[in-house]
Amino acid sequence: MLITLIIIAITCIVSFMAFKNGRLMNDLILWPPAISRQREYHRLVTYGLVHADFNHLLFNMITLFFFGQQMERFYTMAMGTFGFVLFYIGALVVSILPTYFQNRGNPNYRSLGASGAVSAVLFSFIMLAPWSRIIVFVLPMPAIVYAVLYTAYSIYMDRSGRGNVNHNAHLWGAAYGVAFTLLVDPQVLSSFLGQLSHPRF
């Protein structure tokens, strides 16, 4: 799980630096005009290195720690040493692109955080082990049940426009995680369906 730990370490270091350095935060955050006008394409990735506050960072990194190590093993076996890195960077880009295109002319819009990529990691894991028990706010539940609730909640919140969270990125990240996993190993689908037919609570 070396790659997962490196991603967590880099994200934590950069986030803590950005907490105290507004200029660094502004240089890394997703700000659409900086991409469309100034071609600062790095922001499609670096926005995932900065977070709104400590709790935002902590939640994302804890989730990445527990599920990233499983998926790092999967992608290393399927794609080689840097397979998980490619998956994670791709998740950052794909999960934020719809938001960018929707707001590319909006100078007041900003987005940050690794939540979209973390959603990709989580849903990729769910494809491999849908009945695994995970803990959600101290409440244990099967991973597939959480996936359904999470998706429904994100769709509702995205359509209602409530809060200050980019639920759209969560949804696209989840979709990317599922699609990329099936692209890398199509046999995962039959395994997933087979596991679904044998519930374990």
Side-chain angles (χ1 to χ4, degrees), residues 65-188:
F65 176 79
F66 284 111
F67 298 103
Q69 54 185 317
Q70 304 291 334
M71 298 320 302
E72 178 182 341
R73 188 178 302 115
F74 172 82
Y75 282 111
T76 298
M77 292 179 62
M79 301 172 61
T81 304
F82 298 104
F84 185 64
V85 174
L86 295 174
F87 167 79
Y88 189 83
I89 292 176
L92 287 171
V93 175
V94 171
S95 64
I96 204 64
L97 274 179
T99 298
Y100 162 67
F101 286 122
Q102 184 178 357
N103 293 277
R104 58 183 170 183
N106 183 0
N108 298 316
Y109 185 86
R110 286 168 174 77
S111 187
L112 76 172
S115 301
V118 172
S119 291
V121 173
L122 176 58
F123 274 72
S124 184
F125 170 82
I126 290 170
M127 292 299 297
L128 300 184
W131 294 112
S132 293
R133 182 165 295 186
I134 63 176
I135 306 298
V136 182
F137 299 116
V138 309
L139 180 67
M141 68 176 65
I144 188 64
V145 173
Y146 172 74
V148 172
L149 295 175
Y150 179 90
T151 302
Y153 172 77
S154 295
I155 291 174
Y156 170 76
M157 293 299 289
D158 183 55
R159 291 182 176 178
S160 66
R162 298 180 183 179
N164 201 26
V165 177
N166 188 355
H167 295 284
N168 189 49
H170 297 176
L171 291 168
W172 279 101
Y176 169 88
V178 171
F180 197 94
T181 302
L182 295 179
L183 181 64
V184 169
D185 186 357
Q187 294 183 3
V188 168

